[in-house]
Amino acid sequence: MAKIFIDGEAGTTGLQIRERLALMPQIQVLSIDPARRKDPEAKREMMAAADLVVLCLHDEAAIASVAMIDSLPGRKPRIVDASTAHRCHPEWIFGFPELATEQIAAVRQAQRVANPGCYATGAISILRPLVDAGLLLRDFPVCLPAVSGYSGGGRAMIEDYEAGKAPLFEAYALGLNHKHIPEIMRYTGLTCRPLFVPAVGNFRQGMLVQLPLHLDTLPGKPAAADLHDALQAHYASSQAAGGWVSVLPATPDAKLDATALNDTNKLEIRVFANEAARQAVVIARLDNLGKGASGAAVQNIQLMLGL
């Protein structure tokens, strides 16, 4: 059995990873004795015994835990880091296996994988294929309005919403300096900083990330069908290899429920359009706790351990 230690298993992501791993008989999850939970030596012992360590921590704590792993003698465990700390680090593999043709193999072979951010997963999933296909120039001024369930906002936000103290809908990060922007740019190839406007709704989990486009401003003035075909072609190989990203037709009623993929690791992409007005919006739908967090981590763990 593969032994996994979750550093930070009491948080939202850690708990969900543990629940998902509990369904896998090939895996043994190691836990620190509650009486020694704050003992650094106890954590060090767990890391030394593990085949893989999952970091569900704030950035500074994740960096400290990586340093602890580096200090271990002999064989060191592999790492999946769910924090922001290493997502743009050149020595870490970005844990979005559907990113490109070679990414699944890169994750399988990696010693250290940085789990993507939830919003970033949605944004990268729709932007990267269009950039790779030449339908979106790297310096295009991208706008990314998005909404997530409150579970992605940390303990304080969760407590406020569940106590009825939070608004029904709230735009945030309006200083336009969200922590996901660097990874969105790095893994899409964009050179123009995107205008990313996140919001949180009064529902626990679920996410929509949108890319509105004036089609006549794009190279070759494509039709919406061209965007759909480029997206579908990009994900064809990962779909054949068991990937979780799918490209689907627009819904008949031109509506999209943000919560429809809750408790799954699925990510769906659709192109909605008004061809007469030459406008389109590409939308990624996912569970911010699934493909946006714990589901993605477990997918990466399975690939890394050959499960």
Side-chain angles (χ1 to χ4, degrees):
M1 295 176 71
K3 296 179 180 179
I4 295 180
F5 171 58
I6 304 171
D7 192 2
E9 67 174 9
T12 303
T13 300
L15 285 171
Q16 288 228 343
I17 291 173
R18 187 179 181 88
E19 289 174 3
R20 290 169 186 257
L21 293 179
L23 303 174
M24 301 171 63
Q26 317 98 311
I27 285 176
Q28 177 186 356
V29 178
L30 306 178
S31 292
I32 296 175
D33 184 328
R36 301 183 66 198
R37 191 171 297 278
K38 295 185 179 180
D39 180 357
E41 188 55 35
K43 182 163 81 169
R44 184 182 176 88
E45 290 170 9
M46 290 293 103
M47 289 176 167
D51 298 299
L52 188 147
V53 174
V54 186
L55 305 179
C56 299
L57 306 164
H58 295 299
D59 289 4
E60 296 80 6
I63 291 168
S65 286
V66 171
M68 181 178 284
I69 291 170
D70 286 340
S71 72
L72 294 173
R75 182 197 66 86
K76 296 173 176 58
R78 300 165 86 176
I79 307 172
V80 172
D81 183 8
S83 81
T84 312
H86 299 101
R87 289 175 185 160
C88 294
H89 195 293
E91 295 177 7
W92 287 65
I93 297 299
F94 193 59
F96 184 24
E98 297 88 354
L99 177 70
T101 305
E102 68 279 2
Q103 201 69 14
I104 291 178
V107 172
R108 283 198 181 106
Q109 298 162 12
Q111 287 297 116
R112 299 183 173 190
V113 169
N115 222 47
C118 52
Y119 283 118
T121 297
I124 293 166
S125 73
I126 54 182
L127 286 165
R128 177 64 179 261
L130 301 181
V131 171
D132 284 356
L135 293 172
L136 200 68
L137 297 178
R138 294 177 187 273
D139 62 354
F140 189 83
V142 167
C143 183
L144 296 165
V147 63
S148 172
Y150 60 77
S151 57
R155 182 172 298 174
M157 180 178 285
I158 292 171
E159 289 175 353
D160 282 349
Y161 271 91
E162 293 185 346
K165 297 178 182 178
L168 294 178
F169 185 91
E170 185 176 34
Y172 70 101
L174 294 175
L176 306 181
N177 194 31
H178 196 281
K179 65 180 181 179
H180 288 330
I181 291 175
E183 64 186 288
I184 292 173
M185 294 185 70
R186 179 177 179 86
Y187 297 105
T188 60
L190 291 179
T191 57
C192 179
R193 182 184 179 87
L195 184 58
F196 173 48
V197 187
V200 61
N202 197 359
F203 52 94
R204 178 169 175 77
Q205 61 197 89
M207 174 172 283
L208 299 175
V209 181
Q210 305 172 63
L211 172 65
L213 296 167
H214 291 274
L215 295 172
D216 287 342
T217 67
L218 303 181
K221 299 184 178 181
D226 297 320
L227 304 182
H228 176 94
D229 291 348
L231 290 159
Q232 196 164 57
H234 185 95
Y235 291 109
S237 60
S238 69
Q239 274 282 297
W244 291 91
V245 179
S246 56
V247 181
L248 302 174
T251 56
D253 63 358
K255 296 179 180 180
L256 207 58
D257 175 5
T259 68
L261 299 182
N262 285 3
D263 301 316
T264 78
N265 195 48
K266 295 179 181 180
L267 189 156
E268 296 176 349
I269 300 173
R270 289 175 172 82
V271 181
F272 295 85
N274 180 334
E275 285 290 355
R278 300 291 294 146
Q279 293 177 332
V281 57
V282 187
I283 304 181
R285 174 166 68 179
L286 63 154
D287 178 0
N288 59 290
L289 296 182
K291 186 61 170 166
S294 60
V298 171
Q299 181 185 359
N300 289 322
I301 289 167
Q302 289 176 303
L303 288 169
M304 294 169 76
L305 298 179
L307 303 179

